[in-house]
Amino acid sequence: MQPDAPLPAAIVEPLLSLYCYAAFAFDEILEIFHSMREKGLTPTVNHFNQVMQAAVSKQHNQTDKAQLLFKHMVKNGPPPNATSYNILIYGLGEAGDSAEALRLFEEMVANDFSVNEATYSSLISSIIRTGELEKALWLMQQMRYNGVKPSQVTYILVLQELCRKGKHQYAASVLNDMQAEDMSVDADTHQMLITSLSKALGVEESEAFRMLFTQKQQPGI
């Protein structure tokens, strides 16, 4: 963006919000953001979060820029809040950097920030992409232990990976947890569960259905 005249301070802040949520190039968003200081405005944590959210969006896909903004906050202020961490954990997860996402998660916990379902789900999604299924299952257990209810999307993501890995006993247990919370699986995941178990045990799909949905707690499934 190259305005003909300097922007008045009064419109810089609302313009930043507009640019972050509309279809503008990320460089234009940064230009508005940096112009705040030129106008004597001190960016708040909310301003940083808006720009970080835009950076990690699928439209811009610039998680590295979000990391730089986060590091600036840590070093120079304003201090990042739980939303800042959640945004970056999501971005890192989408970028496939589960190690850094997990480090930030642990930092959140150490700093007594509130960890919500979105935080866990972003992290679990990232870890599953790396094939670390046991770690993802451990995180789901931690969620429930800490009173955070996994979403249906998170459950289904884990179920699908369990099927792909042939972990049918775990899949049956996760399915049982879902049903205990009055959640259901979509048609594709339902069929994946049945087909996966049928092939693994060499039984008809009707028998696999019976084993999953009528005897889920029986050992050995």
Side-chain angles (χ1 to χ4, degrees):
M1 185 193 66
Q2 297 293 334
D4 295 330
L7 292 168
I11 73 166
V12 171
E13 184 173 3
L15 194 61
L16 176 66
S17 296
L18 172 64
Y19 271 49
C20 285
Y21 292 103
F24 286 91
F26 189 69
D27 286 346
E28 294 180 309
I29 295 173
L30 283 179
E31 186 176 342
I32 291 291
F33 179 68
H34 291 314
S35 74
M36 293 185 72
R37 294 190 188 278
E38 297 170 7
K39 300 297 179 183
L41 303 172
T42 302
T44 66
V45 64
N46 184 54
H47 296 135
F48 273 92
N49 288 346
Q50 286 183 66
V51 180
M52 286 173 59
Q53 185 71 65
V56 303
S57 68
K58 288 182 171 60
Q59 176 188 345
H60 299 298
N61 193 27
Q62 298 199 41
T63 300
D64 57 333
K65 300 287 180 61
Q67 285 181 282
L68 290 174
L69 288 164
F70 187 89
K71 289 176 181 177
H72 179 91
M73 293 170 73
V74 171
K75 183 177 180 180
N76 304 301
N81 59 17
T83 301
S84 312
Y85 276 93
N86 283 333
I87 291 168
L88 192 51
I89 286 172
Y90 167 82
L92 289 164
E94 290 297 298
D97 192 348
S98 62
E100 181 62 12
L102 183 58
R103 187 194 70 77
L104 281 176
F105 173 82
E106 292 170 345
E107 190 174 288
M108 277 189 81
V109 173
N111 290 333
D112 294 324
F113 282 114
S114 176
V115 180
N116 60 23
E117 198 279 332
T119 316
Y120 278 109
S121 293
S122 294
L123 189 56
I124 288 170
S125 176
S126 173
I127 287 172
I128 281 180
R129 287 193 184 98
T130 69
E132 299 176 277
L133 188 53
E134 290 76 11
K135 189 179 290 184
L137 288 170
W138 177 82
L139 278 168
M140 281 194 70
Q141 290 177 339
Q142 292 300 303
M143 285 182 77
R144 296 167 65 86
Y145 178 79
N146 291 322
V148 181
K149 183 179 178 180
S151 70
Q152 185 179 36
V153 171
T154 301
Y155 270 123
I156 289 175
L157 188 67
V158 171
L159 269 175
Q160 290 174 340
E161 188 63 19
L162 285 166
C163 286
R164 280 191 283 268
K165 297 289 186 181
K167 305 287 187 180
H168 309 295
Q169 184 173 357
Y170 287 115
S173 176
V174 170
L175 181 62
N176 191 54
D177 290 341
M178 285 186 72
Q179 293 181 330
E181 295 177 4
D182 294 324
M183 292 184 185
S184 59
V185 297
D186 59 75
D188 289 342
T189 305
H190 180 280
Q191 186 58 48
M192 181 182 284
L193 281 163
I194 300 302
T195 302
S196 178
L197 183 57
S198 171
K199 288 180 178 179
L201 301 183
V203 299
E204 296 293 331
E205 290 196 356
S206 58
E207 175 64 9
F209 178 91
R210 184 188 66 79
M211 296 175 73
L212 272 175
F213 293 95
T214 63
Q215 297 183 8
K216 293 185 296 296
Q217 298 187 30
Q218 179 178 324
I221 294 178

